[in-house]
Amino acid sequence: MADMPLQKKPFPQLASALSESQPRPYGRSLTWRVVLLCLILIPLTDFWQVEMEVVRYSAHPTTISLFFDTVFVLLCLTVANQGLKRIAPRLALERGELLLTYSVLCIAAAVSGHDMLEVFVPMLTWPFKHANSSNNWAHLIIPHLKPGLFISDPKIYKGYYVGNDTIFRWVYIRAWLPVVCIWTAFVSMLLFVMLCINVILRKQWTEHERLTYPIIQLPLQITSEQAFAPNGLFRNRLFWLGFAIAGSIDMINSLNYYYPNIPTVLTPGFGQSFLDIGQYFTSKPWNALGWTPVSFYPFMIGLGMFMPLDFLFSMWFFYWFWKLERVAVVWLGYDRDPRFPYIENQSFGAYLSFFFYAAWLSRNYIKQVLRCALGRPSELDDSTEPIRYRSAVLGVIVGVGSLVAFSAWLGMVWWIGILFFFMYFMLAIAITRMRAELGTPVHDLHFTGPEMIMTRVAGTDSFSANTLTVFSLYFWFNRAYRSHPMPHQLEGFKLAEQTRSRYRSWYFAMLFLGIFGVFVAFWNMLGLMYHYGAEAKSVLTFGPEPYNNLTAWLNTPTRGKFGELMSIFVGCGIAFFLQWMRVRFPWWPFHPLAFAVTSSWEINLVWGPLFLAWIFKGLILRYGGRGAFQKALPFFIGLMLGQFVVGSLWNIYGIARGLPTYQFWQ
């Protein structure tokens, strides 16, 4: 999937790091200062994130590819470091140190995020707290749960739900510590396998195919050595114009939240950033459009400018393709099955095609990696890689084997465990690749994980109660994939390349500091819930979802549906056709990855800004050419940072004062 020529060559004024091709000594990255900084910042940023996403259920930084909270922290560090360069130059951090800190914070945020531990922690007590004669969980579910992996004592979990308590009591710590350590080891093994896969794929995607990594362009520009120079980013008038526009919009809308007499800007008010036009279509078949928000997010317009033009077009085109497909189903009377036309399955098939296509492109490279791992003559030199290919391949085998063994101990049939994790890491690789190649802003795939696909295709009556229970226990890292950590690991290696840092240092930093982030995330979640109460002041908990699914599976077994299976092949076939047309005809405007990405929930919020980005980018390139586009980019970077900075400051203010705030991102 070749990228557009425009994406191959970065703009000169703002991407100095991307043009640093002259050999020079390795830069500093992993130092004692960075380790200390990460040990301090990981708990602080994670605390902020849990306050936003769980306690207040606002802002949601980990639901998009570019986490605004970590970008805000990086900007603060960079500005402070610039001042330190003037006062005490020897104490100032190098660019590699700043970006390694940012990369580690992103991984820690992803693990703690909206679709990982924030979903999982409530699951550890929920069935014991809410078992009753109505749901019969005491006999239906609890016997299948392994002792020692959950908290079943009401004296321990009562404070979690009621609040006005603290986790820092010895009786609580003694009960929670073994549970947290076991599950921290499980999540750490997931991270380890992802990191080993990224080691194997890094050279092919970064050096051979030269993917452009649009998501990391903003942190690269923030930390560029020329950013504060007279002609750099922070001295550019267009940048400050964009910053002022986006920041002013958020400032006015935030003030409107407290003072309704102040008019809002480009929002319908009420703390929202979108207007649902679906509410105006109430009759059949058009009511099948459902929730259709028209949103305005300046930062998403700015992020879209780093994406290929055909991908931007395809994002909004296929969004409406899926909407009209639902309308057509109702119009033709095929809506007796509420899941038809099995859109999640079609999307899974499209991701499947992308995985196999990427594997096909890398087939010769993978062969050389395996030869190198087996000690046979190979065209590849792994001496400068994060770890040797032999270690990476063994890491994948041992890591997946450990995950399957743990799943078998929980009760899952071993061969189903192998299939489960194959499907999981296949999706992870596809998501990582699309981020590196296209910079897709969302990749949620709600309810399209391995357990959902297998139970829909084969039917729940094909699996034992123990296997279905493990499916539900793994719901937390398969509910959606918005905060998936694997793309952040690969992007970390790309940042290491741009700063000419040693990959090995980044590997161990991302692994061990990532594990530290997992451990911290558990205790941050527990600490805040014991303080606020998961069912008292906290706005949302995901605890009931997996157990309600399991209850339905066990009480009402289903048989597999041929249509569910065929829809996977249909989605795969459409994606292959779109890719074949794109390769054969250069004018073909439809991108197969957009077909996959736009089928899920999150695209509802970003299709409007991406449509505007497509218009702006197309007009600038058509009438101004590459030069005008390069000159205009500081403006769009300003849009991103303006909204991130003002939105972050208001959010911090709201947390400090205990006040609700305007949500600049839903």
Side-chain angles (χ1 to χ4, degrees):
M1 296 186 178
D3 214 341
M4 291 185 61
L6 178 62
Q7 303 294 316
K8 293 287 187 182
K9 189 175 181 181
F11 47 99
Q13 294 92 340
L14 299 176
S16 59
L18 298 178
S19 61
E20 292 174 358
S21 57
Q22 296 79 9
R24 59 184 178 83
Y26 284 112
R28 286 194 301 176
S29 55
L30 182 59
T31 61
W32 66 267
R33 300 183 298 177
V34 167
V35 174
L36 180 61
L37 196 59
C38 289
L39 293 178
I40 295 172
L41 289 177
I42 287 175
L44 291 177
T45 55
D46 186 71
F47 175 86
W48 178 24
Q49 180 175 301
V50 176
E51 278 273 7
M52 284 189 286
E53 295 190 333
V54 179
V55 176
R56 303 162 65 84
Y57 202 66
S58 65
H60 309 295
T62 62
T63 60
I64 52 175
S65 298
L66 186 65
F67 299 166
F68 74 79
D69 53 346
T70 56
V71 171
F72 177 76
V73 172
L74 176 64
L75 180 63
C76 292
L77 287 176
T78 304
V79 173
N81 194 61
Q82 189 68 19
L84 196 59
K85 284 182 179 180
R86 298 181 179 181
I87 300 172
R90 298 181 62 180
L91 298 179
L93 297 172
E94 290 190 7
R95 193 184 190 200
E97 294 176 291
L98 288 170
L99 289 174
L100 177 56
T101 303
Y102 167 78
S103 185
V104 168
L105 290 179
C106 285
I107 294 170
V111 169
S112 172
H114 203 71
D115 296 316
M116 291 202 71
L117 292 186
E118 290 174 9
V119 178
F120 182 52
V121 173
M123 293 173 54
L124 295 173
T125 59
W126 195 270
F128 304 96
K129 166 71 164 56
H130 295 88
N132 54 48
S133 58
S134 176
N135 56 39
N136 197 31
W137 285 357
H139 300 94
L140 191 68
I141 292 179
I142 292 177
H144 300 292
L145 302 178
K146 286 285 185 180
L149 299 183
F150 304 88
I151 298 296
S152 59
D153 187 349
K155 295 179 181 178
I156 303 299
Y157 64 64
K158 180 181 178 181
Y160 176 88
Y161 289 97
V162 176
N164 294 320
D165 204 343
T166 176
I167 186 64
F168 300 106
R169 293 171 56 185
W170 175 242
V171 64
Y172 293 161
I173 294 175
R174 184 174 57 186
W176 277 103
L177 185 59
V179 176
V180 169
C181 287
I182 292 172
W183 287 109
T184 296
F186 177 84
V187 181
S188 300
M189 190 58 68
L190 283 176
L191 292 177
F192 172 69
V193 174
M194 295 174 196
L195 204 51
C196 289
I197 295 174
N198 279 324
V199 169
I200 295 171
L201 297 174
R202 187 207 66 81
K203 186 184 287 288
Q204 170 67 14
W205 289 356
T206 303
E207 299 180 14
H208 296 173
E209 297 185 43
R210 302 187 67 81
L211 303 183
T212 54
Y213 295 84
I215 298 299
I216 66 170
Q217 296 307 308
L218 184 59
L220 281 173
Q221 307 322 315
I222 291 174
T223 58
S224 172
E225 296 175 1
Q226 282 73 41
F228 292 90
N231 61 343
L233 175 65
F234 295 116
R235 301 291 183 88
N236 189 291
R237 293 182 179 179
L238 281 178
F239 166 80
W240 287 110
L241 177 62
F243 188 99
I245 291 174
S248 298
I249 291 174
D250 268 20
M251 181 66 71
I252 294 171
N253 291 336
S254 297
L255 290 172
N256 165 265
Y257 198 81
Y258 302 118
Y259 307 102
N261 290 333
I262 299 176
T264 59
V265 180
L266 297 173
T267 72
F270 310 108
Q272 304 292 326
S273 301
F274 59 81
L275 174 66
D276 176 23
I277 62 174
Q279 62 184 316
Y280 303 115
F281 298 90
T282 57
S283 58
K284 285 189 175 185
W286 294 104
N287 61 352
L289 288 173
W291 187 55
T292 308
V294 178
S295 61
F296 179 75
Y297 298 114
F299 79 89
M300 189 58 65
I301 298 174
L303 183 58
M305 302 304 285
F306 292 97
M307 302 174 197
L309 201 58
D310 61 340
F311 183 67
L312 286 173
F313 166 77
S314 300
M315 287 288 281
W316 67 264
F317 175 86
F318 281 114
Y319 171 76
W320 283 102
F321 168 84
W322 292 114
K323 287 285 186 180
L324 294 176
E325 183 175 283
R326 292 187 178 96
V327 171
V329 167
V330 174
W331 179 52
L332 295 172
Y334 292 119
D335 55 333
R336 290 185 178 180
D337 184 345
R339 282 192 32 77
F340 190 81
Y342 313 117
I343 288 176
E344 294 89 352
N345 295 29
Q346 291 187 58
S347 180
F348 178 82
Y351 274 85
L352 190 69
S353 75
F354 187 58
F355 167 78
F356 285 119
Y357 184 79
W360 176 257
L361 288 179
S362 306
R363 63 191 183 281
N364 293 327
Y365 169 80
I366 297 297
K367 185 186 299 183
Q368 295 300 320
V369 167
L370 294 177
R371 290 179 64 88
C372 186
L374 294 172
R376 301 178 63 182
S378 172
E379 300 173 1
L380 299 177
D381 177 18
D382 63 355
S383 60
T384 59
E385 291 302 300
I387 56 174
R388 296 285 184 174
Y389 288 142
R390 176 178 295 180
S391 300
V393 172
L394 285 175
V396 173
I397 295 172
V398 172
V400 173
S402 300
L403 294 171
V404 172
F406 180 76
S407 303
W409 176 69
L410 290 178
M412 181 183 287
V413 179
W414 67 270
W415 65 267
I416 295 178
I418 294 175
L419 179 61
F420 180 95
F421 284 105
F422 170 77
M423 294 170 68
Y424 173 75
F425 286 113
M426 179 206 71
L427 289 173
I429 291 171
I431 290 169
T432 304
R433 166 77 188 214
M434 70 171 61
R435 280 266 295 259
E437 181 177 351
L438 301 167
T440 176
V442 293
H443 39 74
D444 46 328
L445 283 91
H446 271 80
F447 312 114
T448 315
E451 80 287 1
M452 291 296 183
I453 296 298
M454 285 193 278
T455 53
R456 290 167 184 162
V457 171
T460 58
D461 61 355
S462 300
F463 304 97
S464 67
N466 284 333
T467 295
L468 292 174
T469 300
V470 181
F471 280 168
S472 297
L473 293 181
Y474 288 171
F475 171 84
W476 59 276
F477 64 96
N478 291 284
R479 180 182 185 273
Y481 299 97
R482 290 171 291 190
S483 64
H484 206 294
M486 186 169 171
H488 297 280
Q489 294 175 338
L490 184 65
E491 288 160 5
F493 286 141
K494 179 63 177 179
L495 292 172
E497 179 203 55
Q498 294 303 305
T499 56
R500 289 199 54 81
S501 305
R502 295 183 184 275
Y503 292 122
R504 187 166 299 240
S505 299
W506 285 64
Y507 173 87
F508 287 110
M510 289 191 291
L511 177 60
F512 291 109
L513 290 173
I515 293 173
F516 172 74
V518 176
F519 190 74
V520 167
F522 271 108
W523 292 107
N524 255 330
M525 279 283 295
L526 292 173
L528 284 168
M529 291 303 100
Y530 271 90
H531 177 70
Y532 289 107
E535 293 183 324
K537 296 181 181 178
S538 181
V539 174
L540 183 69
T541 179
F542 294 99
E545 287 189 40
Y547 298 110
N548 289 340
N549 289 339
L550 180 58
T551 302
W553 288 344
L554 295 176
N555 284 333
T556 313
T558 60
R559 293 186 176 183
K561 289 185 178 180
F562 182 72
E564 298 270 9
L565 177 62
M566 286 305 301
S567 60
I568 296 176
F569 288 104
V570 168
C572 188
I574 292 175
F576 268 122
F577 170 76
L578 293 173
Q579 180 59 31
W580 180 80
M581 291 292 290
R582 187 168 182 264
V583 171
R584 187 172 180 85
F585 303 104
W587 51 265
W588 183 254
F590 305 113
H591 203 291
L593 250 296
F595 171 73
V597 171
T598 53
S599 64
S600 197
W601 185 88
E602 203 76 24
I603 188 63
N604 284 288
L605 292 173
V606 302
W607 76 269
L610 294 180
F611 173 75
L612 294 176
W614 171 70
I615 292 177
F616 294 151
K617 187 171 184 176
L619 290 175
I620 294 172
L621 289 173
R622 182 178 181 85
Y623 296 106
R626 184 188 297 271
F629 178 73
Q630 292 171 351
K631 293 178 180 178
L633 273 172
F635 172 81
F636 295 102
I637 294 176
L639 289 180
M640 298 167 71
L641 284 182
Q643 195 160 32
F644 285 176
V645 170
V646 174
S648 295
L649 291 175
W650 271 108
N651 199 276
I652 294 171
Y653 169 80
I655 293 172
R657 296 291 303 274
L659 298 173
T661 55
Y662 167 76
Q663 297 186 43
F664 79 91
W665 165 247
Q666 256 57 32

